[in-house]
Amino acid sequence: MRSKQPYIVVSFHTTNDAMAVQEAAKRAGLAGRLAPIPRQISAGCGLAWIEPAVHRARIMRLVEEGGLEHAGIDMLNL
């Protein structure tokens, strides 16, 4: 069985917000992906950007400095 690893989970109110973060993150060379939102979190559109926790500072900076809309940012073991 695979051991759980820490991830940053960025949730969104809308699918458009999720797609904007995906586009910006890919341009920035981040390793994450869009995925269905984990059960532990609830958000409007049902999508989340999931990024390895080692990139926490990069994703936080991308979202905040880029003015990208999001519902929340959480750390989860997935």
Side-chain angles (χ1 to χ4, degrees):
M1 177 183 256
R2 182 179 78 103
S3 65
K4 293 185 177 192
Q5 302 294 318
Y7 287 89
I8 296 297
V9 179
V10 183
S11 56
F12 307 98
H13 295 292
T14 70
T15 302
N16 285 339
D17 294 340
M19 300 302 285
V21 168
Q22 177 184 33
E23 200 172 296
K26 290 299 181 186
R27 277 195 312 266
L30 289 168
R33 62 186 169 83
L34 274 182
I37 197 157
R39 284 176 271 168
Q40 299 95 318
I41 302 171
S42 64
C45 78
L47 289 174
W49 180 261
I50 299 176
E51 183 76 33
V54 297
H55 299 146
R56 180 181 188 278
R58 289 181 65 197
I59 193 69
M60 296 289 287
R61 189 171 44 252
L62 179 82
V63 170
E64 291 171 7
E65 291 178 3
L68 299 166
E69 295 291 326
H70 61 285
I73 300 175
D74 298 283
M75 176 91 79
L76 296 176
N77 288 320
L78 303 174

